Amino acid sequence: MRFIFPAVLATLAATPALAAPAQYGALALSPAGDRIASIDSGTGRTKIVVRAAKGGAVLASYDPCTTCSYSGLTFAADGTLAFLARDRAKGDVTLDIVEGGSVRAVATIRGIAQTPRFSPDGKRIALLVTIGAAKEAGAAQAGVRQVGEIGEKNDEQRLAVFDRAATLGADAVVPLSPAGRYIYEYDWTPDGAGFAVTSALGNGDANWWVATLDHVDATTGAVRMIAKPATQLNFPRVSPDGKSVAYIGGLMSDFGAVGGDVWTVPLAGGTPVNVTQGAKATATSIDWTGGGLRATLLRSDSAEIVAVTDKGYGPALFSRPASFAAGDGRAVFSADGKTMAMVMQDYTHAPAVYAGPLAAPKQLTHDNDAIAANVTARSITWNNEGFTAQGWLLAPIGADPAKKAPMVTIVHGGPASASVPGFIDRGGAAELIRAGFYVFLPNPRGSYGQGQAFTAANRRDFGGGDLRDILTGIDAVEKVAPVDGARLGLMGGSYGGFMSMWANTQTNRFKAIVAGAGLSNWVSYYGTNGIDQWMLPFFGKTLYEDYEAYEKPSAIYHMKNAKTPTFIYVGERDIEVPPTQSVEYWHALKDQGVPTSLVIYAEEGHGIRSPANALDLQKRTIGWFEKYLGKAQ
């Protein structure tokens, strides 16, 4: 379970003196590799900007709807740009294309929509639509009220196809794929006759973990199963010859938090083959180009661009201790696979668009060049129990190396995820550092970046080896940084919230804890959350088949050991980790006489999105750590 964590939210009210860095969202590269489109924000009104891939000159910009937000930038083979414009007040999304420099609507969807893609010949556009959506797509979004007959009606994300020349009103939109089947991702086949999709029957939020790889006929909508992988899967991509489908498969805890190996299977159907088995790296996105299969990897502390063959990953074509991002993967590629584009950032460099040859992309945007770093960052690697783990140590600029300071360890969600570099500007982590705290971001076993064996190492061992890795990582930090071992704090959201709650019952090393949307009781959680299928790959059996496995990592069974003051928070409409988990834990701490506070944020889901709520949470978090760890400065 990932968490929308205020440490990465742009909470503008938090530090009003700071200018927000420019952001480049939904980055797309034309098939010819000559133009880049992005949604630019932070430098004025948000708009769609088209740049030359060589030199970065702005060629055009579009902002056709002053009340809309934009998403889903995509190019046709002939270079035509399409995108989505959403008007929340009207409750609709418009699929727009740019023709002759003018924007024209192709279709209006009453509800929500995402991921437009042109057919190979450019004459049609496919789109994932949720007509009459009751909530935002994804389990991390705020859930609908649980009243009336429960579980009988769910939002359905279906595949729709539109003629490029059409102009359709909302009432004329008819999905192609059948009702009752939720489509998560898709890719056109090269002949335009169908799609490779990941899909599941029933509740889309709950059933992604058991999704199958399927084929949908582009004319009839008929569905044929290609494969039923034993892993979770993302990024279905059809080969240029139309014979095979590649995808990323692995042990994943969240849709969108992609990590695994690269698998291939015949489009006609068959048994998937892991072509990168045993690699000490995690694939985070793939694209099948005319020049071959390309992938982005996380390998320890670095992101990489590599080619993939049936013999595995090739050597890194480009590597940086940074994070990559784009609209359709971590990087996007030209049709021939020779040119790429991405948004790159790290802890000390704000986002910038890069593009060019795979081995030597050049920086195209410079809006953020003058923004100074707010932290120093250091990659920390350590060994524990036969595993090599990695994490990041962030320190205040100008910290006195002779003066010991308190440190807060932030555990990422997932557990199948990773803390990767991102510019520290504002929000929770930034404010901790500004207050003088060191921040440690460990990637213990169960994380991405070291290969599938490492990711799977905490299966049926939540709070065991991963907690020991975190504690050993703190030991490694204390050897190289002036951290006061008597003033250690711990925080995290979702799985990181579980770890924060659990650690309180396993060690007295931390003197203050902040737990967001945490799990305190896996037994009661199993029957009350909205995504129970995610646990089966990790626990191996349902609760009703193996109570002991779920009781073992439940903090609620060990509360007499909990001594550390803990601030707890959660969203009122969190369906991934319902508020009852936080209430249980808060009640147990109160009964034990342990200092605690619980805040349930109104209307929030699995994460705190409202700027006002994020600011309140930030103040409470800083106040809690300063109260129990002492002020750092």
Side-chain angles (χ1 to χ4, degrees):
M1 303 155 295
R2 286 190 307 165
F3 191 64
I4 306 302
F5 191 58
V8 295
L9 283 174
T11 309
L12 300 182
T15 48
L18 294 176
Q23 303 290 335
Y24 311 96
L27 189 79
L29 177 66
S30 65
D34 60 342
R35 290 182 298 144
I36 295 168
S38 61
I39 300 169
D40 289 18
S41 60
T43 56
R45 178 170 162 73
T46 298
K47 58 189 175 183
I48 296 168
V49 177
V50 179
R51 293 179 171 87
K54 290 184 178 180
V58 173
L59 304 176
S61 63
Y62 305 97
D63 183 15
C65 176
T66 58
T67 59
C68 294
S69 59
Y70 303 119
S71 64
L73 308 187
T74 189
F75 284 101
D78 65 1
T80 299
L81 176 67
F83 59 89
L84 300 175
R86 181 179 184 183
D87 191 325
R88 290 178 181 268
K90 293 182 178 179
D92 61 31
V93 179
T94 303
L95 171 62
D96 292 329
I97 63 172
V98 180
E99 294 179 323
S102 299
V103 176
R104 180 179 67 81
V106 173
T108 299
I109 292 84
R110 187 173 294 118
I112 59 178
Q114 61 181 331
T115 321
R117 289 199 179 118
F118 284 94
S119 59
D121 63 7
K123 295 180 179 180
R124 293 165 292 162
I125 309 175
L127 183 65
L128 294 174
V129 302
T130 306
I131 296 174
K135 62 182 286 293
E136 298 295 321
Q141 302 291 339
V144 298
R145 293 180 63 207
Q146 295 295 292
V147 293
E149 188 173 8
I150 304 300
E152 296 304 307
K153 180 175 174 54
N154 302 298
D155 283 351
E156 293 183 346
Q157 183 167 268
R158 298 166 66 185
L159 192 59
V161 179
F162 306 99
D163 189 292
R164 171 176 166 167
T167 302
L168 299 178
D171 292 337
V173 173
V174 179
L176 170 72
S177 61
R181 180 176 294 272
Y182 196 102
I183 308 293
Y184 299 96
E185 299 176 281
Y186 73 94
D187 192 30
W188 283 92
T189 57
D191 59 6
F195 306 90
V197 308
T198 59
S199 75
L201 298 173
N203 186 323
D205 286 343
N207 293 330
W208 172 74
W209 290 268
V210 293
T212 52
L213 182 64
D214 304 299
H215 177 272
V216 174
D217 188 279
T219 300
T220 67
V223 178
R224 167 182 61 82
M225 184 182 293
I226 298 171
K228 186 176 182 179
T231 65
Q232 288 67 62
L233 67 158
N234 277 98
F235 282 96
R237 296 293 182 264
V238 183
S239 61
D241 63 8
K243 295 180 179 180
S244 301
V245 183
Y247 66 88
I248 296 176
L251 182 64
M252 302 182 220
S253 48
D254 302 87
F255 176 73
V258 181
D261 290 329
V262 178
W263 299 67
T264 60
V265 62
L267 180 64
T271 301
V273 175
N274 185 346
V275 300
T276 62
Q277 189 166 9
K280 301 295 185 182
T282 302
T284 55
S285 69
I286 58 172
D287 191 18
W288 215 326
T289 74
L293 192 58
R294 305 286 186 254
T296 60
L297 306 182
L298 177 63
R299 189 187 302 273
S300 187
D301 62 2
S302 293
E304 296 181 354
I305 303 291
V306 300
V308 186
T309 70
D310 57 2
K311 294 181 172 53
Y313 300 128
L317 301 170
F318 182 76
S319 177
R320 289 289 186 278
S323 61
F324 304 159
D328 198 8
R330 297 291 181 180
V332 285
F333 301 88
S334 58
D336 61 11
K338 295 179 180 180
T339 303
M340 71 172 178
M342 71 185 85
V343 179
M344 187 161 61
Q345 62 180 305
D346 60 30
Y347 289 115
T348 59
H349 296 87
V353 175
Y354 285 73
L358 273 57
K362 296 184 181 298
Q363 183 178 346
L364 299 186
T365 60
H366 298 275
D367 304 289
N368 296 327
D369 286 359
I371 299 179
N374 297 299
V375 303
T376 62
R378 178 175 182 175
S379 179
I380 304 291
T381 302
W382 67 98
N383 297 315
N384 185 45
E385 300 174 3
F387 293 98
T388 299
Q390 181 274 335
W392 292 96
L393 176 64
L394 309 181
I397 294 284
D400 186 349
K403 182 180 178 181
K404 289 203 170 185
M407 182 177 78
V408 175
T409 296
I410 302 178
V411 183
H412 65 67
S417 186
S419 289
V420 297
F423 187 63
I424 298 294
D425 173 56
R426 61 193 68 213
E431 300 312 313
L432 281 169
I433 291 166
R434 286 192 183 95
F437 292 88
Y438 281 65
V439 171
F440 179 47
L441 305 168
N443 290 316
R445 71 188 79 171
S447 303
Y448 295 151
Q450 311 285 348
Q452 269 296 286
F454 187 80
T455 302
N458 73 342
R459 183 183 271 140
R460 293 181 65 88
D461 189 37
F462 285 177
D466 47 7
L467 177 57
R468 295 193 297 274
D469 285 351
I470 291 168
L471 296 175
T472 307
I474 293 172
D475 292 340
V477 168
E478 290 179 344
K479 292 176 181 178
V480 299
V483 169
D484 187 344
R487 293 196 291 163
L488 298 177
L490 180 68
M491 69 182 293
S494 194
Y495 189 83
F498 151 72
M499 188 65 74
S500 298
M501 291 176 170
W502 172 252
N504 197 357
T505 69
Q506 303 299 304
T507 177
N508 294 320
R509 191 166 181 181
F510 301 105
K511 305 309 177 188
I513 290 173
V514 174
L519 294 93
S520 61
N521 184 348
W522 291 92
V523 174
S524 61
Y525 172 75
Y526 190 92
T528 56
N529 77 87
I531 55 166
D532 60 345
Q533 293 297 308
W534 88 265
M535 289 178 283
L536 298 183
F538 289 90
F539 284 91
K541 297 179 180 179
T542 69
L543 165 71
Y544 314 114
E545 297 171 307
D546 192 352
Y547 277 93
E548 184 178 353
Y550 290 82
E551 291 172 355
K552 183 181 176 182
S554 294
I556 212 73
Y557 291 90
H558 306 275
M559 290 309 296
K560 286 192 174 182
N561 298 328
K563 307 296 182 187
T564 304
T566 304
F567 166 51
I568 309 159
Y569 67 92
V570 67
E572 175 197 12
R573 295 194 180 186
D574 190 338
I575 62 173
E576 285 211 11
V577 185
T580 49
Q581 289 293 304
S582 293
V583 173
E584 273 196 78
Y585 193 74
W586 169 79
H587 186 273
L589 290 176
K590 295 282 282 188
D591 269 11
Q592 299 298 315
V594 178
T596 186
S597 172
L598 169 63
V599 175
I600 300 177
Y601 286 101
E603 304 299 326
E604 298 279 13
H606 195 58
I608 307 304
R609 291 170 171 80
S610 158
N613 288 341
L615 178 57
D616 177 79
L617 174 57
Q618 177 182 294
K619 290 179 176 178
R620 290 176 185 271
T621 298
I622 297 292
W624 195 263
F625 284 126
E626 288 190 336
K627 180 177 181 178
Y628 291 103
L629 301 183
K631 290 192 175 183
Q633 297 178 343

